[in-house]
């Protein structure tokens, strides 16, 4: 058992019932007032990125809207105050060619080498119906930069009037090109650029073709061609820093910001990739230290951009995680779709927020093994709400209404000492509002736990917090499943969002305890017990 106590900033050390090996007397301070290091998320912190080739299935079209997906987005809005932003893009945005005469929304060609997404596709005007099916959602649309034949460039410009008409009134931005730092190396079926493709060459192309898009938009949608509206996600690098000189800093130094039309400095990041050696649920994902490493990589990218001396080269735009998820290459079944991955996503989200990255577009694709939900039935994957979605709900519940600037919290990482647990505090109007504790110590529900001949009962960990004066009680909301390896039966605060129950609308399950209330002791201590591999939010009253 691990027991941690927390002290107020005034320095009163709480008594700590520490397990052997855990520093007795070591305590993490929770300040009564908002610490200066606390960070505030942007509105729509929890947002999604949807693979370009999967968008029609996620959203449906006007005659068959995907209401199940819409219900799930509404579940986020219930807590977050507004629906997630949707970026439509990814690898397949650079493999897709528009054909204005095509009847079908998409025609896709798969290669034997990659069953996860098409090797290429053409899309017609009907594709843009998918932008009309989710009321209240704002989008970014990804244009193809990688394909540079005369036909591909003509198709790019042809698509602009359809795209701007579709996104009018619901525009969050544009994007031209996905992960151009990989153009010299990514094989599909051959790299789209030569091995020496440089940041400067990319910038020249990007400026030329964003200007060409702008000219089309001035004709088709002049209202969207204004400086205020015409904004891009960029540079959307994969960010294999250290492996290549193609990083964000030289891209901005080469003048990406020349036209001052960058709305979001977007970076991509995955924790690891399918195929990496030594990858485990516990060590790779259920690991707060590893999440902090990923967050630090992003912060370093941002810092290097901001350090460019000529400030004219640096956009005054937020730095966001524009595409990311747990395990690149579409995840690993049994790992990235598990309840452990839901806990990972919750911890990662709050690690991002508390260290200053205000938005995460969590990447999704049909049949992807890290998806939050599968929007349609396929022969490979059952339609349904997957474990990671519950982590998205939990982070939205913890952050609360971000649409209302007055209730938008500041979040601080309380710095628990073990790699497999974390706790965060939120402050609203300078006052402690909520705590969350995440235990990521792996507990298997379906297979024997290693080192034991038989299954053992799920251990319960005890966490104690020393609260500032004036707190009397807390309402508890738990993120729960039978174990970290569970891929079904996940609940948040007793609710299921399963597609098979009410098409993704919240359904209260009678077999899960809810409405727990914790009393704060007269000594200001509150004690919360967490079954291993679970999380709980303490909402102070
Ligand atoms: C575009 O679609 C039309 C109608 O299906 C088809 O005849 C034409 O060949 C397509 N063009 C290209 C370049 O694929
Ligand atoms: C709309 O979606 C339905 C269901 O997937 C499909 O049958 C129909 O062809 C689509 N319509 C268009 C115009 O793509
Ligand atoms: C699309 O992919 C298919 C399957 O790999 C391939 O045969 C075809 O040549 C590709 N078409 C284009 C235009 O790249
Ligand atoms: C779906 O399953 C079929 C049959 O097992 C397989 O050939 C195909 O590659 C799978 N597709 C995906 C996207 O996993
Ligand atoms: C397209 O990219 C290739 C690979 O970098 C390059 O050789 C070619 O000149 C480019 N074509 C055009 C029209 O720019
Ligand atoms: C720049 O864009 C124009 C279209 O506006 C195109 O004609 C020209 O070829 C492009 N130049 C390069 C180097 O791609
Ligand atoms: C719009 O942006 C362009 C490019 O940065 C700039 O030259 C122009 O002055 C701006 N126009 C207005 C009205 O601000
Ligand atoms: C957790 O992540 C850190 C940082 O990447 C790593 O050093 C450590 O080995 C990981 N823990 C386990 C148990 O794999
Ligand atoms: C990030 O920055 C920190 C502090 O400047 C530095 O110690 C660390 O090595 C950097 N990490 C990477 C991956 O660049
Ligand atoms: C849980 O099961 C997985 C897969 O069998 C195993 O690798 C892991 O070590 C187990 N975890 C524990 C804590 O026993
Ligand atoms: C969770 O455990 C309970 C009690 O053992 C069991 O009845 C239930 O089926 C399990 N749920 C899942 C999804 O495995
Ligand atoms: C609770 O009930 C749901 C729906 O019947 C079931 O899927 C789930 O496994 C149950 N959970 C537990 C912990 O028994």
């Amino acid at each position: 058992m691990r027991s941690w106590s927390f002290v107020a900033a005034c320095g009163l050390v709480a008594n700590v019932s520490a397990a052997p090996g855990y520093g007795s007397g070591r305590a993490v301070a929770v300040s009564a007032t908002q610490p200066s290091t606390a960070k505030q998320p942007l509105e729509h912190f929890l947002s999604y990125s949807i693979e370009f080739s999967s968008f029609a299935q996620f959203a449906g079209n006007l005659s068959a809207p995907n209401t199940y997906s819409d219900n799930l987005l509404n579940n986020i809005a219930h807590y977050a105050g507004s629906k997630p932003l949707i970026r439509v893009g990814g690898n397949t945005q650079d493999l897709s060619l528009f054909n204005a005469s095509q009847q079908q929304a998409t025609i896709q060609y798969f290669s034997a080498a990659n069953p996860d997404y098409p090797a290429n596709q053409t899309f017609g005007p009907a594709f843009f119906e998918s932008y009309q099916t989710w009321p209240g959602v704002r989008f970014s649309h990804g244009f193809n930069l990688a394909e540079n034949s005369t036909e591909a460039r003509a198709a790019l410009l042809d698509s602009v009037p359809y795209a701007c008409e579709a996104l009018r009134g619901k525009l969050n931005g544009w994007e031209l090109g996905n992960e151009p730092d990989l153009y010299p190396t990514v094989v599909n079926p051959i790299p789209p650029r030569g091995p020496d493709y440089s940041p400067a060459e990319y910038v020249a192309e990007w400026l030329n073709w964003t200007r060409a898009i702008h000219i089309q938009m001035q004709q088709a949608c002049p209202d969207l061609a204004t400086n205020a509206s015409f904004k891009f996600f960029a540079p959307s690098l994969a960010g294999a820093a250290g492996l290549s000189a193609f990083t964000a800093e030289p891209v901005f130094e080469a003048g990406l910001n020349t036209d001052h039309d960058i709305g979001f400095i977007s970076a991509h990041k995955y924790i690891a990739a399918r195929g990496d050696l030594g990858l485990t649920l516990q060590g790779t994902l259920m690991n707060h230290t590893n999440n902090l490493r990923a967050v630090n990589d992003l912060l370093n990218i941002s810092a290097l951009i901001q350090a460019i001396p000529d400030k004219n080269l640096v956009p005054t735009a937020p730095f966001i995680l524009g595409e990311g998820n747990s395990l690149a290459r579409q995840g690993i079944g049994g790992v990235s779709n598990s309840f452990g991955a839901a806990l990972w996503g919750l911890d990662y989200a709050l690690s991002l927020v508390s260290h200053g990255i205000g938005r995460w577009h969590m990447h999704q694709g049909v049949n992807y093994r890290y998806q939050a939900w599968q929007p349609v039935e396929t022969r490979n994957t059952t339609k349904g709400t997957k474990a990671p979605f519950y982590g998205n709900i939990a982070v939205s519940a913890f952050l609360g209404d971000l649409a209302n600037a007055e209730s938008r919290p500041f979040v601080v990482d309380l710095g628990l000492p073990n790699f497999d647990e974390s706790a965060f505090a939120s402050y609203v109007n300078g006052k402690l509002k909520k705590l969350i504790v995440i235990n990521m110590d792996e507990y298997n529900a379906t297979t024997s736990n290693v080192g034991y001949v038989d299954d053992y009962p799920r251990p319960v960990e005890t966490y104690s917090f020393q609260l500032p004066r004036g707190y009397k009680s807390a309402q508890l909301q738990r993120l729960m499943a039978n174990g970290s390896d569970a891929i079904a039966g996940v609940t948040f605060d007793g609710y299921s969002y399963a597609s098979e129950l009410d098409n993704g609308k919240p359904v209260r399950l009678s077999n899960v305890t809810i409405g727990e209330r914790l009393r704060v002791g007269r000594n200001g201590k509150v004690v919360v017990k967490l079954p291993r591999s679970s999380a709980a939010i303490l909402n102070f009253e």
Side-chain angles (χ1 to χ4, degrees):
M1 292 259 202
R2 298 164 189 186
S3 181
W4 293 102
S5 293
F6 298 86
V7 291
C10 59
L12 285 172
V13 178
N15 79 353
V16 179
S17 57
Y22 298 109
S24 97
R26 226 161 99 199
V28 180
V30 176
S31 173
T33 53
Q34 182 180 303
S36 61
T37 53
K39 297 288 194 304
Q40 197 174 32
L42 297 166
E43 190 184 353
H44 312 284
F45 166 78
L46 192 282
S47 284
Y48 292 107
S49 162
I50 296 180
E51 187 64 56
F52 197 95
S53 60
S54 296
F55 181 49
Q57 287 157 296
F58 270 85
N61 59 31
L62 283 173
S63 42
N66 194 318
T67 53
Y68 162 56
S69 293
D70 193 45
N71 289 339
L72 294 182
L73 298 176
N74 281 326
N75 294 333
I76 302 287
H78 170 77
Y79 290 110
S82 53
K83 281 169 148 176
L85 299 169
I86 304 291
R87 168 213 185 221
V88 179
N91 287 342
T92 56
Q93 112 186 35
D94 271 337
L95 304 169
S96 297
L97 292 182
F98 182 68
N99 179 346
S101 326
Q102 176 178 310
Q103 294 296 308
Q104 298 95 318
T106 62
I107 300 174
Q108 306 189 331
Y109 297 93
F110 282 82
S111 71
N114 183 1
D116 286 341
Y117 55 78
N120 57 62
Q121 70 168 4
T122 54
F123 62 108
F127 173 86
F128 292 98
E129 283 187 19
S130 298
Y131 285 109
Q132 314 305 327
T133 64
W134 291 336
V137 171
R138 291 197 293 132
F139 297 93
S140 61
H141 172 82
F143 292 112
N144 184 335
L145 179 67
E147 292 183 282
N148 70 352
S149 67
T150 307
E151 297 73 21
R153 296 306 197 192
L156 164 68
L157 297 184
D158 283 353
S159 73
V160 172
Y162 295 89
C164 67
E165 292 286 354
L167 272 72
R168 181 177 277 127
K170 54 190 71 168
L171 177 67
N172 186 48
W174 306 102
E175 191 171 37
L176 176 63
N178 177 71
E179 303 182 351
D181 51 331
L182 301 186
Y183 287 179
T185 50
V186 74
V187 177
N188 183 68
I190 56 159
R193 297 292 181 278
D196 300 325
Y197 189 60
S198 68
E201 286 171 285
Y202 158 66
V203 168
E205 273 191 57
W206 190 89
L207 289 174
N208 189 54
W209 290 101
T210 52
R211 287 167 186 167
I213 291 168
H214 190 231
I215 289 167
Q216 297 299 310
M217 218 172 282
Q218 280 174 320
Q219 288 159 12
C221 308
D223 50 324
L224 300 187
T226 61
N227 283 5
S229 287
F230 191 71
K231 296 284 182 192
F232 283 81
F233 282 58
S236 312
L237 305 187
L243 297 177
S244 107
F246 201 134
T247 62
E249 187 193 3
V251 162
F252 284 106
E253 282 172 335
L256 192 75
N257 191 41
T258 300
D259 294 339
H260 300 283
D261 55 4
I262 292 165
F264 301 97
I265 304 174
S266 174
H268 295 186
K269 181 89 193 160
Y270 290 80
I271 301 300
R274 179 164 55 91
D276 287 353
L277 290 177
L279 195 152
T280 64
L281 181 58
Q282 177 74 81
T284 311
L285 297 183
M286 296 176 74
N287 182 341
H288 181 59
T289 311
N290 209 32
N291 277 340
L292 291 182
R293 183 192 53 77
V295 171
N296 192 59
D297 287 351
L298 289 166
L299 292 174
N300 283 3
I301 294 169
S302 178
L304 288 171
I305 297 167
Q306 295 302 323
I308 294 171
D310 180 352
K311 292 305 161 207
N312 210 33
L313 298 173
V314 182
T316 52
F319 180 92
I320 63 166
L321 174 49
E323 182 196 307
N325 207 317
S326 52
L327 303 175
R329 304 198 192 105
Q330 300 79 54
I332 301 177
V335 179
S336 54
N337 60 346
S338 68
F339 183 57
L343 294 168
W344 160 79
L346 173 58
D347 179 67
Y348 188 48
L350 295 177
S351 298
L352 289 163
V353 171
S354 60
H355 293 95
I357 295 177
R359 188 170 294 149
W360 173 17
H361 285 269
M362 196 184 191
H363 197 53
Q364 310 295 321
V366 169
N367 297 336
Y368 286 13
R369 295 159 295 272
Y370 52 54
Q371 59 184 183
W373 74 97
Q374 166 82 356
V376 293
E377 192 76 24
T378 67
R379 62 178 175 158
N380 299 72
T381 308
T382 330
K383 176 181 170 180
T385 311
K386 309 299 176 185
F389 182 75
Y390 293 84
N392 298 168
I393 287 286
V395 69
S396 304
F398 179 71
L399 295 176
D401 184 356
L402 302 181
N404 176 357
E406 308 222 320
S407 65
R408 207 174 294 161
F410 284 80
V411 180
V412 65
D413 183 341
L414 295 176
L416 296 202
N418 292 306
F419 81 97
D420 57 0
E421 57 193 3
S422 62
F424 302 85
S426 79
Y427 293 82
V428 174
N429 294 322
K431 199 166 174 284
L432 178 65
K433 173 97 172 163
K434 300 184 188 195
L435 290 179
I436 185 168
V437 194
I438 307 170
N439 180 285
M440 293 182 284
D441 195 353
E442 191 174 47
Y443 179 75
N444 285 328
T446 58
T447 61
S448 283
N449 283 280
V450 166
Y452 295 81
V453 175
D454 299 311
D455 289 347
Y456 59 92
R458 190 171 185 173
V460 175
E461 311 290 355
T462 302
Y463 295 85
S464 23
F465 295 86
Q466 180 69 46
L467 299 179
R469 283 174 197 283
Y471 289 83
K472 301 259 181 310
S473 63
Q475 274 188 320
L476 222 56
Q477 293 169 304
R478 291 189 187 273
L479 176 62
M480 190 52 75
N482 281 354
S484 46
D485 58 338
I487 57 167
V490 186
T491 55
F492 177 73
D493 197 24
Y495 281 98
S496 170
Y497 302 93
S499 60
E500 61 274 23
L501 293 180
D502 192 12
N503 198 30
K505 290 183 182 164
V507 173
R508 199 63 158 263
L509 298 188
S510 55
N511 60 359
V512 183
T513 307
I514 56 152
E516 289 172 82
R517 187 171 257 115
L518 297 177
R519 282 180 49 78
V520 179
R522 243 175 275 149
N523 56 2
K525 250 172 97 167
V526 65
V527 177
V528 57
K529 292 182 184 298
L530 252 64
R532 196 174 276 181
S533 289
S534 74
I537 298 173
L538 283 70
N539 298 284
F540 295 113
E541 298 167 305

